[in-house]
Amino acid sequence: EAGVAQSPRYKIIEKRQSVAFWCNPISGHATLYWYQQILGQGPKLLIQFQNNGVVDDSQLPKDRFSAERLKGVDSTLKIQPAKLEDSAVYLCASSQGREGELFFGEGSRLTVL
Amino acid sequence: AQSVTQLGSHVSVSEGALVLLRCNYSSSVPPYLFWYVQYPNQGLQLLLKYTSAATLVKGINGFEAEFKKSETSFHLTKPSAHMSDAAEYFCAVSDQRGGGFKTIFGAGTRLFVKA
Protein backbone atom coordinates (compact mmCIF):
# COMPACT_ATOMS: atom_id res chain seq x y z
CA GLU A 1 0.00 0.00 0.00
CA ALA A 2 1.44 3.36 -1.01
CA GLY A 3 1.94 5.87 1.77
CA VAL A 4 1.12 9.56 1.93
CA ALA A 5 2.97 11.41 -0.82
CA GLN A 6 4.10 15.02 -0.49
CA SER A 7 5.97 17.39 -2.75
CA PRO A 8 8.22 19.24 -2.91
CA ARG A 9 10.43 17.92 -0.09
CA TYR A 10 12.33 21.20 0.17
CA LYS A 11 11.58 24.75 -0.89
CA ILE A 12 13.48 27.97 -0.37
CA ILE A 13 11.78 31.27 -1.15
CA GLU A 14 12.12 34.91 -0.24
CA LYS A 15 9.61 36.67 1.96
CA ARG A 16 6.51 37.95 0.17
CA GLN A 17 6.81 35.22 -2.47
CA SER A 18 4.26 32.45 -2.81
CA VAL A 19 4.59 28.69 -2.45
CA ALA A 20 2.36 25.66 -2.84
CA PHE A 21 2.60 22.19 -1.36
CA TRP A 22 0.86 19.10 -2.65
CA CYS A 23 -0.33 16.02 -0.80
CA ASN A 24 -1.79 12.74 -2.00
CA PRO A 25 -3.22 10.70 0.89
CA ILE A 26 -3.47 6.95 1.21
CA SER A 27 -6.16 5.61 -1.07
CA GLY A 28 -9.52 5.42 0.67
CA HIS A 29 -8.63 7.73 3.56
CA ALA A 30 -11.47 10.20 3.92
CA THR A 31 -9.77 12.55 6.36
CA LEU A 32 -6.78 14.69 5.40
CA TYR A 33 -4.80 16.98 7.68
CA TRP A 34 -2.19 19.68 7.19
CA TYR A 35 0.10 20.32 10.15
CA GLN A 36 2.80 22.96 10.57
CA GLN A 37 5.88 21.88 12.52
CA ILE A 38 8.24 24.66 13.54
CA LEU A 39 11.73 23.58 14.56
CA GLY A 40 11.72 22.28 18.13
CA GLN A 41 7.94 22.17 18.43
CA GLY A 42 5.19 19.62 18.00
CA PRO A 43 2.97 19.60 14.92
CA LYS A 44 0.21 22.22 14.95
CA LEU A 45 -3.00 21.50 13.06
CA LEU A 46 -3.66 24.01 10.29
CA ILE A 47 -6.64 22.46 8.54
CA GLN A 48 -8.62 19.23 8.52
CA PHE A 49 -10.72 17.94 5.63
CA GLN A 50 -13.37 15.24 5.68
CA ASN A 51 -13.66 14.18 2.04
CA ASN A 52 -13.65 17.58 0.29
CA GLY A 53 -15.24 19.56 3.12
CA VAL A 54 -13.39 21.57 5.76
CA VAL A 55 -13.92 20.26 9.30
CA ASP A 56 -11.53 22.54 11.19
CA ASP A 57 -9.47 25.50 9.96
CA SER A 58 -9.50 27.50 13.17
CA GLN A 59 -5.69 27.82 13.29
CA LEU A 60 -5.15 28.52 9.61
CA PRO A 61 -3.89 32.12 9.03
CA LYS A 62 -6.50 32.79 6.40
CA ASP A 63 -5.03 36.11 5.32
CA ARG A 64 -2.08 34.27 3.76
CA PHE A 65 -2.77 30.53 3.85
CA SER A 66 -5.29 28.65 1.76
CA ALA A 67 -5.96 24.97 1.19
CA GLU A 68 -8.22 22.91 -0.97
CA ARG A 69 -9.01 19.28 -1.47
CA LEU A 70 -10.57 18.82 -4.85
CA LYS A 71 -12.70 15.72 -5.38
CA GLY A 72 -11.90 14.53 -1.88
CA VAL A 73 -8.55 13.07 -2.85
CA ASP A 74 -5.34 15.10 -3.11
CA SER A 75 -4.85 18.48 -1.53
CA THR A 76 -2.86 21.68 -2.02
CA LEU A 77 -1.72 24.10 0.68
CA LYS A 78 -0.72 27.58 -0.50
CA ILE A 79 1.03 30.43 1.25
CA GLN A 80 0.89 33.91 -0.26
CA PRO A 81 2.69 36.08 0.67
CA ALA A 82 5.18 34.15 2.80
CA LYS A 83 6.67 35.59 5.98
CA LEU A 84 9.89 34.65 7.75
CA GLU A 85 7.91 32.95 10.53
CA ASP A 86 6.38 30.54 8.00
CA SER A 87 9.68 28.66 7.87
CA ALA A 88 8.68 25.19 9.02
CA VAL A 89 7.98 21.65 7.90
CA TYR A 90 4.49 21.20 6.50
CA LEU A 91 3.22 17.73 7.23
CA CYS A 92 0.31 16.09 5.51
CA ALA A 93 -1.46 13.19 7.19
CA SER A 94 -4.45 11.05 6.36
CA SER A 95 -6.75 8.80 8.33
CA GLN A 96 -9.38 6.22 7.57
CA GLY A 97 -11.19 7.08 10.78
CA ARG A 98 -10.07 4.18 12.95
CA GLU A 99 -9.58 5.58 16.41
CA GLY A 100 -7.78 8.64 15.11
CA GLU A 101 -4.60 6.94 13.91
CA LEU A 102 -2.74 9.21 11.50
CA PHE A 103 -0.46 8.28 8.61
CA PHE A 104 2.08 10.96 7.75
CA GLY A 105 4.01 11.91 4.66
CA GLU A 106 7.68 12.84 4.87
CA GLY A 107 6.89 16.54 4.97
CA SER A 108 7.78 19.61 2.93
CA ARG A 109 10.46 21.79 4.47
CA LEU A 110 10.00 25.51 3.76
CA THR A 111 12.72 28.08 4.32
CA VAL A 112 11.72 31.73 3.93
CA LEU A 113 14.65 34.15 3.56
CA ALA B 1 -10.48 21.29 25.23
CA GLN B 2 -7.71 18.83 24.58
CA SER B 3 -4.12 19.43 25.60
CA VAL B 4 -0.92 17.42 25.91
CA THR B 5 2.08 18.13 28.11
CA GLN B 6 5.35 16.31 27.65
CA LEU B 7 7.72 16.73 30.58
CA GLY B 8 11.29 17.27 29.43
CA SER B 9 12.20 18.49 25.98
CA HIS B 10 15.38 16.38 26.07
CA VAL B 11 16.10 13.03 27.72
CA SER B 12 19.50 11.35 27.66
CA VAL B 13 20.08 7.71 28.60
CA SER B 14 22.89 5.23 28.23
CA GLU B 15 22.55 2.29 25.87
CA GLY B 16 20.86 -0.56 27.75
CA ALA B 17 19.25 1.73 30.32
CA LEU B 18 15.54 2.26 30.94
CA VAL B 19 13.78 4.81 28.77
CA LEU B 20 10.96 6.83 30.38
CA LEU B 21 9.25 9.63 28.47
CA ARG B 22 6.45 11.42 30.31
CA CYS B 23 3.11 12.57 28.94
CA ASN B 24 0.08 14.08 30.64
CA TYR B 25 -3.11 14.95 28.84
CA SER B 26 -6.43 16.63 29.33
CA SER B 27 -9.57 15.85 27.41
CA SER B 28 -13.26 16.49 28.01
CA VAL B 29 -14.20 13.08 26.63
CA PRO B 30 -12.58 9.65 26.90
CA PRO B 31 -9.53 10.06 24.72
CA TYR B 32 -7.55 8.05 22.30
CA LEU B 33 -3.87 8.41 23.11
CA PHE B 34 -0.87 7.89 20.89
CA TRP B 35 2.89 7.97 20.82
CA TYR B 36 4.56 8.81 17.53
CA VAL B 37 8.28 8.77 16.69
CA GLN B 38 10.03 11.07 14.24
CA TYR B 39 13.46 10.36 12.80
CA PRO B 40 15.45 13.20 11.18
CA ASN B 41 13.95 14.50 7.95
CA GLN B 42 11.04 12.11 8.13
CA GLY B 43 7.36 12.28 8.97
CA LEU B 44 5.87 10.83 12.14
CA GLN B 45 5.33 7.10 12.57
CA LEU B 46 2.95 5.47 15.01
CA LEU B 47 4.63 3.69 17.93
CA LEU B 48 1.55 2.66 19.85
CA LYS B 49 -2.00 3.69 20.69
CA TYR B 50 -4.48 3.44 23.56
CA THR B 51 -8.11 3.02 22.53
CA SER B 52 -9.90 2.08 25.79
CA ALA B 53 -9.03 -1.61 25.73
CA ALA B 54 -6.06 -2.75 27.85
CA THR B 55 -4.45 0.02 29.90
CA LEU B 56 -0.96 -1.34 29.19
CA VAL B 57 -0.25 -0.97 25.52
CA LYS B 58 2.61 -2.59 23.66
CA GLY B 59 4.02 -1.04 20.53
CA ILE B 60 6.78 -1.52 18.03
CA ASN B 61 10.51 -1.72 18.81
CA GLY B 62 9.92 -2.88 22.40
CA PHE B 63 8.12 0.25 23.58
CA GLU B 64 5.07 0.22 25.81
CA ALA B 65 2.88 2.76 27.57
CA GLU B 66 0.43 2.64 30.44
CA PHE B 67 -2.80 4.63 30.55
CA LYS B 68 -3.53 5.93 34.05
CA LYS B 69 -6.83 7.74 34.13
CA SER B 70 -6.46 8.92 37.73
CA GLU B 71 -3.17 10.59 36.87
CA THR B 72 -4.21 11.61 33.31
CA SER B 73 -0.90 10.16 32.18
CA PHE B 74 0.34 8.02 29.31
CA HIS B 75 4.07 7.59 29.89
CA LEU B 76 6.23 5.74 27.36
CA THR B 77 8.81 3.20 28.49
CA LYS B 78 11.34 0.78 27.10
CA PRO B 79 13.37 -1.52 29.38
CA SER B 80 16.63 -1.27 27.45
CA ALA B 81 17.58 1.60 25.15
CA HIS B 82 19.26 0.99 21.82
CA MET B 83 21.25 3.47 19.78
CA SER B 84 18.60 3.29 17.07
CA ASP B 85 16.00 4.66 19.51
CA ALA B 86 17.53 8.13 19.27
CA ALA B 87 14.75 10.26 17.79
CA GLU B 88 12.01 12.73 18.67
CA TYR B 89 8.93 11.33 20.39
CA PHE B 90 5.50 12.95 20.39
CA CYS B 91 2.56 12.17 22.60
CA ALA B 92 -0.84 12.92 21.08
CA VAL B 93 -4.49 12.95 22.15
CA SER B 94 -7.36 12.47 19.78
CA ASP B 95 -11.10 12.64 20.13
CA GLN B 96 -13.91 12.30 17.68
CA ARG B 97 -15.69 15.39 16.49
CA GLY B 98 -18.30 15.60 13.78
CA GLY B 99 -16.35 14.75 10.69
CA GLY B 100 -13.46 12.71 11.98
CA PHE B 101 -10.91 12.79 14.75
CA LYS B 102 -9.02 15.88 15.90
CA THR B 103 -5.49 15.14 17.08
CA ILE B 104 -3.37 17.45 19.23
CA PHE B 105 0.35 16.85 19.73
CA GLY B 106 2.68 17.62 22.59
CA ALA B 107 5.85 19.64 22.07
CA GLY B 108 7.97 16.51 21.79
CA THR B 109 10.84 14.93 23.69
CA ARG B 110 14.16 14.33 22.00
CA LEU B 111 15.78 11.11 23.16
CA PHE B 112 19.57 10.86 23.12
CA VAL B 113 21.20 7.46 23.60
CA LYS B 114 24.82 7.36 24.74
CA ALA B 115 27.12 4.48 23.91
Side-chain angles (χ1 to χ4, degrees):
Chain A
E1 177 182 79
V4 176
Q6 289 190 246
S7 67
R9 286 294 315 276
Y10 304 93
K11 189 75 176 178
I12 301 174
I13 62 173
E14 297 196 347
K15 60 183 179 184
R16 291 188 289 274
Q17 288 187 323
S18 63
V19 63
F21 302 111
W22 174 82
C23 171
N24 192 35
I26 294 172
S27 177
H29 283 197
T31 313
L32 185 147
Y33 308 78
W34 284 102
Y35 284 88
Q36 180 191 58
Q37 186 179 20
I38 293 173
L39 187 64
Q41 299 181 19
K44 182 183 87 170
L45 179 66
L46 291 177
I47 189 166
Q48 178 180 343
F49 293 95
Q50 182 75 10
N51 297 308
N52 60 349
V54 175
V55 174
D56 186 339
D57 63 356
S58 58
Q59 296 199 82
L60 186 74
K62 297 181 186 63
D63 57 334
R64 297 183 300 105
F65 286 64
S66 65
E68 60 182 6
R69 188 181 185 195
L70 299 175
K71 300 180 181 179
V73 183
D74 57 347
S75 176
T76 302
L77 176 70
K78 296 180 181 178
I79 307 174
Q80 181 178 16
K83 293 185 174 181
L84 297 177
E85 59 260 38
D86 298 332
S87 294
V89 176
Y90 292 86
L91 294 165
C92 180
S94 69
S95 172
Q96 59 183 347
R98 288 186 187 172
E99 301 153 343
E101 180 178 345
L102 301 181
F103 295 82
F104 283 86
E106 293 188 307
S108 295
R109 181 179 297 275
L110 174 65
T111 302
V112 182
L113 303 175
Chain B
Q2 303 164 298
S3 68
V4 178
T5 302
Q6 291 185 240
L7 299 176
S9 59
H10 298 84
V11 169
S12 182
V13 300
S14 298
E15 192 172 22
L18 171 71
V19 175
L20 171 60
L21 305 182
R22 300 178 187 273
C23 173
N24 289 88
Y25 72 92
S26 69
S27 177
S28 58
V29 297
Y32 296 122
L33 296 163
F34 304 83
W35 278 96
Y36 288 85
V37 61
Q38 186 176 34
Y39 298 101
N41 297 316
Q42 294 187 24
L44 281 69
Q45 305 171 32
L46 181 69
L47 263 184
L48 49 79
K49 62 183 178 183
Y50 166 75
T51 58
S52 76
T55 57
L56 182 63
V57 181
K58 295 187 183 298
I60 61 172
N61 300 337
F63 284 93
E64 62 182 37
E66 185 172 9
F67 172 68
K68 292 187 177 181
K69 184 177 179 180
S70 61
E71 298 177 10
T72 60
S73 68
F74 191 56
H75 302 329
L76 181 71
T77 60
K78 182 174 180 177
S80 176
H82 191 271
M83 297 296 289
S84 61
D85 295 327
E88 184 106 27
Y89 292 81
F90 293 94
C91 182
V93 61
S94 179
D95 65 53
Q96 191 164 17
R97 310 292 173 89
F101 288 84
K102 180 172 182 177
T103 301
I104 302 298
F105 289 85
T109 298
R110 183 165 294 279
L111 177 65
F112 297 91
V113 183
K114 300 174 291 187

